[in-house]
Amino acid sequence: MSDPTLHAITQNPDDFAVQIADSIESFIVATTEVAKGDEPDSAVPFLLLEISQLLLAGGRLGAHEDIVPDERYETDTGPEPDVDDLRMRFAVLLEPIDVFSEVFDPYEPRKAPVPARISDNLADIVTDLRHGLAHYRAGRTSEALWWWQFSYFSNWGPTASATLRALQSLVAHVRLDQPLAELDGLDTDEDLTEDDLAEEAGRVMAEEIGAPLGLRSRK
């Protein structure tokens, strides 16, 4: 049975802020644990679940009326925590399926897919979320909510959505016993067209990466 307050945008602002902050902190903690590589067999399913839950918080922020911070100018939160270690850990953990094709704006016509990396996306999402969390922990609740809402629309929301789509596609390829296209040697720094992506893609069977990543094909 669904929680009647789940999508409410007229509830007590403090309760809303606490719930959003809890969801965001939970995502950061969980993904940081996954990046350690202690349980590689469950990495992909776990990330699929965590990003899905994060996007629920993002949807609540998106449905909320525009949040206005108390101060006109954003307070400096200090140096941003380094996410390079997190990025590299995910790059190693997800190496067989790290690169995927992404369309930035589905409403912009004739835009060719571009290569992206799950590891880069996860690090970027965590960076955005931590920035807002620094405001929240300092007691600047309205500024934290403003930042999370603004960056949901401008960066971490689209990035998380693209990453979720890639992970869901990977799970579907494995569970449905479908061959998985591998971007063999493709780098995200390259400016490639859709034809280039197709030319670069090699063919591998899903079972070659399914077991190491905790996925099982349908019998």
Side-chain angles (χ1 to χ4, degrees):
M1 191 171 179
S2 63
D3 182 348
T5 68
L6 186 63
H7 305 292
I9 62 175
T10 58
Q11 61 183 309
N12 187 309
D14 290 336
D15 293 339
F16 179 75
V18 168
Q19 292 166 14
I20 295 297
D22 284 350
S23 296
I24 284 172
E25 188 164 19
S26 175
F27 174 82
I28 294 173
V29 170
T31 52
T32 301
E33 286 299 311
V34 175
K36 292 178 180 178
D38 294 337
E39 297 183 21
D41 288 351
S42 60
V44 168
F46 200 79
L47 288 172
L48 182 68
L49 175 61
E50 289 300 321
I51 294 176
S52 297
Q53 293 176 334
L54 176 67
L55 283 170
L56 174 58
R60 296 184 68 192
L61 286 164
H64 204 289
E65 62 185 7
D66 288 348
I67 299 168
V68 180
D70 294 333
E71 302 294 331
R72 181 175 180 183
Y73 298 103
E74 184 184 4
T75 305
D76 186 6
T77 60
E80 296 286 353
D82 187 15
V83 295
D84 283 344
D85 181 64
L86 185 74
R87 189 190 314 273
M88 292 304 299
R89 285 177 179 272
F90 272 124
V92 172
L93 183 64
L94 304 173
E95 191 276 332
I97 45 86
D98 195 22
V99 178
F100 68 98
S101 298
E102 177 183 358
V103 177
F104 284 115
D105 190 342
Y107 284 100
E108 189 173 347
R110 294 178 296 279
K111 264 295 187 185
V114 296
R117 291 185 182 275
I118 296 175
S119 55
D120 288 344
N121 285 4
L122 290 170
D124 289 347
I125 293 166
V126 169
T127 297
D128 274 350
L129 299 180
R130 280 179 176 172
H131 185 86
L133 201 58
H135 285 306
Y136 182 79
R137 288 172 174 168
R140 297 185 292 269
T141 302
S142 66
E143 195 144 14
L145 289 173
W146 167 80
W147 170 258
W148 284 326
Q149 185 186 60
F150 167 75
S151 56
Y152 167 73
F153 288 124
S154 63
N155 190 47
W156 74 260
T159 302
S161 296
T163 306
L164 180 67
R165 181 69 184 92
L167 293 169
Q168 190 275 336
S169 178
L170 172 65
V171 173
H173 274 292
V174 173
R175 298 287 170 82
L176 299 177
D177 292 324
Q178 295 175 345
L180 183 69
E182 179 183 50
L183 299 182
D184 186 13
L186 184 62
D187 195 285
T188 54
D189 292 332
E190 298 179 62
D191 184 17
L192 299 176
T193 66
E194 187 173 5
D195 290 339
D196 294 324
L197 286 170
E199 184 177 348
E200 291 282 353
R203 304 293 291 178
V204 295
M205 292 304 293
E207 55 264 32
E208 293 181 15
I209 66 170
L213 293 176
L215 300 174
R216 296 293 182 270
S217 60
R218 187 180 61 184
K219 299 298 185 183

Short mmCIF file of all heavy atoms in Angstrom, two decimals, residues 77-116:
data_model
loop_
_atom_site.label_atom_id
_atom_site.label_comp_id
_atom_site.label_asym_id
_atom_site.label_seq_id
_atom_site.Cartn_x
_atom_site.Cartn_y
_atom_site.Cartn_z
N THR A 77 30.59 26.46 0.27
CA THR A 77 30.61 25.23 1.07
C THR A 77 32.01 24.70 1.30
O THR A 77 32.19 23.65 1.91
CB THR A 77 29.78 24.13 0.38
OG1 THR A 77 30.33 23.86 -0.92
CG2 THR A 77 28.33 24.55 0.25
N GLY A 78 33.02 25.44 0.80
CA GLY A 78 34.39 24.97 0.94
C GLY A 78 34.80 24.08 -0.21
O GLY A 78 34.05 23.88 -1.17
N PRO A 79 36.00 23.50 -0.12
CA PRO A 79 36.49 22.63 -1.21
C PRO A 79 35.58 21.44 -1.43
O PRO A 79 35.08 20.84 -0.48
CB PRO A 79 37.87 22.18 -0.70
CG PRO A 79 38.24 23.15 0.37
CD PRO A 79 36.96 23.61 0.99
N GLU A 80 35.36 21.11 -2.70
CA GLU A 80 34.54 19.94 -3.03
C GLU A 80 35.35 18.67 -2.73
O GLU A 80 36.53 18.58 -3.08
CB GLU A 80 34.15 19.95 -4.50
CG GLU A 80 33.27 21.12 -4.90
CD GLU A 80 31.84 20.98 -4.40
OE1 GLU A 80 31.50 19.90 -3.85
OE2 GLU A 80 31.07 21.94 -4.53
N PRO A 81 34.74 17.68 -2.09
CA PRO A 81 35.44 16.42 -1.85
C PRO A 81 35.88 15.77 -3.15
O PRO A 81 35.18 15.84 -4.16
CB PRO A 81 34.39 15.55 -1.13
CG PRO A 81 33.42 16.53 -0.56
CD PRO A 81 33.39 17.69 -1.52
N ASP A 82 37.05 15.17 -3.15
CA ASP A 82 37.59 14.53 -4.33
C ASP A 82 36.82 13.24 -4.64
O ASP A 82 36.60 12.41 -3.76
CB ASP A 82 39.07 14.20 -4.10
CG ASP A 82 39.75 13.68 -5.35
OD1 ASP A 82 39.18 13.82 -6.45
OD2 ASP A 82 40.86 13.12 -5.23
N VAL A 83 36.38 13.10 -5.88
CA VAL A 83 35.65 11.90 -6.28
C VAL A 83 36.44 11.06 -7.28
O VAL A 83 35.91 10.09 -7.82
CB VAL A 83 34.27 12.26 -6.90
CG1 VAL A 83 33.37 12.90 -5.87
CG2 VAL A 83 34.44 13.15 -8.12
N ASP A 84 37.70 11.41 -7.52
CA ASP A 84 38.51 10.68 -8.50
C ASP A 84 38.68 9.22 -8.09
O ASP A 84 38.66 8.31 -8.94
CB ASP A 84 39.88 11.33 -8.68
CG ASP A 84 39.80 12.58 -9.55
OD1 ASP A 84 38.77 12.77 -10.23
OD2 ASP A 84 40.76 13.37 -9.55
N ASP A 85 38.86 8.97 -6.79
CA ASP A 85 39.02 7.59 -6.33
C ASP A 85 37.74 6.80 -6.58
O ASP A 85 37.79 5.65 -7.04
CB ASP A 85 39.36 7.57 -4.84
CG ASP A 85 39.55 6.15 -4.33
OD1 ASP A 85 40.50 5.48 -4.78
OD2 ASP A 85 38.75 5.71 -3.48
N LEU A 86 36.59 7.43 -6.30
CA LEU A 86 35.30 6.78 -6.55
C LEU A 86 35.14 6.48 -8.04
O LEU A 86 34.71 5.39 -8.43
CB LEU A 86 34.17 7.67 -6.06
CG LEU A 86 32.75 7.10 -6.15
CD1 LEU A 86 32.53 6.05 -5.06
CD2 LEU A 86 31.71 8.21 -6.01
N ARG A 87 35.49 7.45 -8.86
CA ARG A 87 35.38 7.29 -10.31
C ARG A 87 36.23 6.12 -10.80
O ARG A 87 35.78 5.28 -11.59
CB ARG A 87 35.81 8.59 -11.00
CG ARG A 87 35.55 8.64 -12.49
CD ARG A 87 36.23 9.86 -13.11
NE ARG A 87 36.02 11.06 -12.35
CZ ARG A 87 34.97 11.87 -12.48
NH1 ARG A 87 34.04 11.57 -13.37
NH2 ARG A 87 34.87 12.97 -11.75
N MET A 88 37.48 6.06 -10.33
CA MET A 88 38.39 5.02 -10.79
C MET A 88 37.96 3.64 -10.29
O MET A 88 38.09 2.64 -11.01
CB MET A 88 39.81 5.33 -10.31
CG MET A 88 40.43 6.55 -10.97
SD MET A 88 40.43 6.42 -12.78
CE MET A 88 41.44 4.96 -13.02
N ARG A 89 37.46 3.58 -9.07
CA ARG A 89 37.00 2.29 -8.54
C ARG A 89 35.85 1.75 -9.38
O ARG A 89 35.80 0.55 -9.70
CB ARG A 89 36.58 2.44 -7.08
CG ARG A 89 37.74 2.56 -6.10
CD ARG A 89 37.24 2.78 -4.68
NE ARG A 89 38.31 2.87 -3.72
CZ ARG A 89 38.85 1.83 -3.09
NH1 ARG A 89 38.39 0.61 -3.33
NH2 ARG A 89 39.83 2.00 -2.22
N PHE A 90 34.92 2.61 -9.74
CA PHE A 90 33.80 2.16 -10.57
C PHE A 90 34.27 1.81 -11.98
O PHE A 90 33.73 0.88 -12.59
CB PHE A 90 32.72 3.24 -10.63
CG PHE A 90 31.71 3.14 -9.51
CD1 PHE A 90 31.47 4.23 -8.68
CD2 PHE A 90 31.01 1.97 -9.29
CE1 PHE A 90 30.55 4.14 -7.65
CE2 PHE A 90 30.08 1.87 -8.26
CZ PHE A 90 29.85 2.96 -7.43
N ALA A 91 35.25 2.54 -12.49
CA ALA A 91 35.76 2.24 -13.83
C ALA A 91 36.35 0.83 -13.88
O ALA A 91 36.17 0.10 -14.86
CB ALA A 91 36.81 3.28 -14.23
N VAL A 92 37.05 0.44 -12.82
CA VAL A 92 37.62 -0.90 -12.75
C VAL A 92 36.53 -1.94 -12.54
O VAL A 92 36.50 -2.98 -13.20
CB VAL A 92 38.66 -0.97 -11.61
CG1 VAL A 92 39.13 -2.41 -11.40
CG2 VAL A 92 39.86 -0.07 -11.92
N LEU A 93 35.62 -1.66 -11.61
CA LEU A 93 34.56 -2.61 -11.28
C LEU A 93 33.63 -2.88 -12.46
O LEU A 93 33.19 -4.01 -12.67
CB LEU A 93 33.75 -2.06 -10.10
CG LEU A 93 32.63 -2.94 -9.53
CD1 LEU A 93 33.20 -4.23 -8.95
CD2 LEU A 93 31.84 -2.17 -8.47
N LEU A 94 33.34 -1.84 -13.24
CA LEU A 94 32.37 -1.94 -14.33
C LEU A 94 33.03 -1.99 -15.71
O LEU A 94 32.35 -1.80 -16.72
CB LEU A 94 31.40 -0.76 -14.28
CG LEU A 94 30.63 -0.57 -12.96
CD1 LEU A 94 29.84 0.73 -12.99
CD2 LEU A 94 29.70 -1.75 -12.71
N GLU A 95 34.30 -2.27 -15.76
CA GLU A 95 35.08 -2.15 -17.00
C GLU A 95 34.42 -2.80 -18.22
O GLU A 95 34.39 -2.19 -19.29
CB GLU A 95 36.48 -2.72 -16.77
CG GLU A 95 37.47 -2.42 -17.89
CD GLU A 95 37.37 -3.41 -19.03
OE1 GLU A 95 36.99 -4.57 -18.78
OE2 GLU A 95 37.66 -3.02 -20.18
N PRO A 96 33.83 -3.99 -18.11
CA PRO A 96 33.25 -4.59 -19.33
C PRO A 96 32.06 -3.82 -19.90
O PRO A 96 31.78 -3.91 -21.10
CB PRO A 96 32.80 -5.99 -18.84
CG PRO A 96 33.57 -6.23 -17.59
CD PRO A 96 33.73 -4.89 -16.96
N ILE A 97 31.36 -3.05 -19.05
CA ILE A 97 30.14 -2.40 -19.53
C ILE A 97 30.11 -0.92 -19.14
O ILE A 97 29.03 -0.32 -19.11
CB ILE A 97 28.88 -3.12 -18.97
CG1 ILE A 97 29.00 -3.44 -17.46
CG2 ILE A 97 28.63 -4.40 -19.73
CD1 ILE A 97 28.59 -2.36 -16.53
N ASP A 98 31.27 -0.34 -18.89
CA ASP A 98 31.32 1.05 -18.41
C ASP A 98 30.84 2.04 -19.46
O ASP A 98 30.12 2.99 -19.18
CB ASP A 98 32.74 1.40 -17.96
CG ASP A 98 32.80 2.67 -17.12
OD1 ASP A 98 31.76 3.04 -16.54
OD2 ASP A 98 33.88 3.27 -17.03
N VAL A 99 31.23 1.84 -20.71
CA VAL A 99 30.88 2.77 -21.79
C VAL A 99 29.52 2.40 -22.38
O VAL A 99 29.25 1.24 -22.67
CB VAL A 99 31.95 2.76 -22.90
CG1 VAL A 99 31.54 3.70 -24.04
CG2 VAL A 99 33.30 3.19 -22.34
N PHE A 100 28.68 3.40 -22.57
CA PHE A 100 27.37 3.19 -23.19
C PHE A 100 27.02 4.39 -24.07
O PHE A 100 27.69 5.42 -24.03
CB PHE A 100 26.28 2.96 -22.13
CG PHE A 100 25.96 4.16 -21.28
CD1 PHE A 100 24.87 4.98 -21.58
CD2 PHE A 100 26.75 4.48 -20.18
CE1 PHE A 100 24.57 6.08 -20.80
CE2 PHE A 100 26.46 5.58 -19.38
CZ PHE A 100 25.37 6.39 -19.70
N SER A 101 25.97 4.26 -24.88
CA SER A 101 25.54 5.34 -25.77
C SER A 101 24.42 6.13 -25.11
O SER A 101 23.49 5.56 -24.54
CB SER A 101 25.04 4.77 -27.10
OG SER A 101 26.08 4.08 -27.76
N GLU A 102 24.50 7.44 -25.21
CA GLU A 102 23.53 8.30 -24.55
C GLU A 102 23.03 9.38 -25.51
O GLU A 102 23.81 9.94 -26.29
CB GLU A 102 24.16 8.96 -23.32
CG GLU A 102 23.26 9.94 -22.60
CD GLU A 102 23.96 10.62 -21.43
OE1 GLU A 102 25.13 10.31 -21.16
OE2 GLU A 102 23.31 11.48 -20.81
N VAL A 103 21.75 9.67 -25.45
CA VAL A 103 21.17 10.81 -26.16
C VAL A 103 20.82 11.86 -25.11
O VAL A 103 20.02 11.62 -24.22
CB VAL A 103 19.90 10.42 -26.94
CG1 VAL A 103 19.29 11.65 -27.60
CG2 VAL A 103 20.24 9.37 -27.99
N PHE A 104 21.44 13.03 -25.20
CA PHE A 104 21.30 14.03 -24.15
C PHE A 104 19.88 14.58 -24.04
O PHE A 104 19.36 14.77 -22.96
CB PHE A 104 22.29 15.18 -24.36
CG PHE A 104 23.70 14.82 -23.97
CD1 PHE A 104 24.70 14.76 -24.93
CD2 PHE A 104 24.02 14.53 -22.66
CE1 PHE A 104 26.00 14.42 -24.56
CE2 PHE A 104 25.31 14.19 -22.28
CZ PHE A 104 26.30 14.13 -23.25
N ASP A 105 19.27 14.88 -25.18
CA ASP A 105 17.94 15.48 -25.15
C ASP A 105 17.03 14.75 -26.13
O ASP A 105 17.15 14.93 -27.34
CB ASP A 105 18.00 16.97 -25.50
CG ASP A 105 16.68 17.68 -25.26
OD1 ASP A 105 15.64 17.00 -25.14
OD2 ASP A 105 16.68 18.92 -25.18
N PRO A 106 16.12 13.91 -25.64
CA PRO A 106 15.27 13.14 -26.55
C PRO A 106 14.30 14.00 -27.35
O PRO A 106 13.70 13.52 -28.32
CB PRO A 106 14.51 12.20 -25.60
CG PRO A 106 14.54 12.88 -24.28
CD PRO A 106 15.84 13.61 -24.23
N TYR A 107 14.13 15.27 -26.97
CA TYR A 107 13.23 16.16 -27.70
C TYR A 107 13.96 17.02 -28.72
O TYR A 107 13.34 17.80 -29.44
CB TYR A 107 12.45 17.04 -26.73
CG TYR A 107 11.33 16.30 -26.04
CD1 TYR A 107 11.49 15.82 -24.75
CD2 TYR A 107 10.13 16.04 -26.69
CE1 TYR A 107 10.48 15.12 -24.12
CE2 TYR A 107 9.11 15.34 -26.08
CZ TYR A 107 9.30 14.88 -24.79
OH TYR A 107 8.29 14.18 -24.17
N GLU A 108 15.27 16.89 -28.77
CA GLU A 108 16.03 17.64 -29.76
C GLU A 108 16.26 16.73 -30.97
O GLU A 108 16.95 15.70 -30.85
CB GLU A 108 17.37 18.11 -29.19
CG GLU A 108 18.12 19.07 -30.10
CD GLU A 108 19.36 19.65 -29.43
OE1 GLU A 108 19.49 19.49 -28.20
OE2 GLU A 108 20.17 20.26 -30.14
N PRO A 109 15.70 17.08 -32.13
CA PRO A 109 15.73 16.17 -33.28
C PRO A 109 17.13 15.98 -33.86
O PRO A 109 17.98 16.86 -33.79
CB PRO A 109 14.79 16.84 -34.29
CG PRO A 109 14.84 18.29 -33.95
CD PRO A 109 15.01 18.35 -32.45
N ARG A 110 17.32 14.78 -34.43
CA ARG A 110 18.53 14.45 -35.17
C ARG A 110 19.80 14.60 -34.35
O ARG A 110 20.85 14.95 -34.87
CB ARG A 110 18.62 15.28 -36.45
CG ARG A 110 17.50 14.96 -37.46
CD ARG A 110 17.60 15.84 -38.68
NE ARG A 110 17.37 17.24 -38.35
CZ ARG A 110 16.18 17.79 -38.19
NH1 ARG A 110 15.09 17.06 -38.32
NH2 ARG A 110 16.05 19.07 -37.91
N LYS A 111 19.72 14.36 -33.06
CA LYS A 111 20.91 14.36 -32.23
C LYS A 111 21.47 12.94 -32.17
O LYS A 111 20.78 12.01 -31.76
CB LYS A 111 20.59 14.84 -30.81
CG LYS A 111 20.84 16.32 -30.57
CD LYS A 111 22.32 16.65 -30.69
CE LYS A 111 22.57 18.09 -30.26
NZ LYS A 111 23.97 18.47 -30.48
N ALA A 112 22.72 12.75 -32.60
CA ALA A 112 23.31 11.42 -32.58
C ALA A 112 23.70 11.03 -31.16
O ALA A 112 24.04 11.88 -30.34
CB ALA A 112 24.55 11.40 -33.47
N PRO A 113 23.64 9.74 -30.84
CA PRO A 113 24.10 9.28 -29.52
C PRO A 113 25.58 9.59 -29.33
O PRO A 113 26.35 9.65 -30.29
CB PRO A 113 23.86 7.77 -29.56
CG PRO A 113 22.86 7.56 -30.64
CD PRO A 113 23.12 8.63 -31.66
N VAL A 114 25.96 9.79 -28.10
CA VAL A 114 27.37 10.03 -27.77
C VAL A 114 27.79 9.01 -26.72
O VAL A 114 26.97 8.54 -25.94
CB VAL A 114 27.59 11.46 -27.24
CG1 VAL A 114 27.26 12.49 -28.31
CG2 VAL A 114 26.77 11.71 -25.98
N PRO A 115 29.08 8.65 -26.69
CA PRO A 115 29.54 7.71 -25.68
C PRO A 115 29.62 8.35 -24.30
O PRO A 115 29.98 9.53 -24.17
CB PRO A 115 30.92 7.29 -26.18
CG PRO A 115 31.38 8.44 -27.03
CD PRO A 115 30.15 9.02 -27.65
N ALA A 116 29.27 7.62 -23.28
CA ALA A 116 29.36 8.09 -21.90
C ALA A 116 29.84 6.93 -21.05
O ALA A 116 29.88 5.79 -21.49
CB ALA A 116 28.00 8.60 -21.42
#
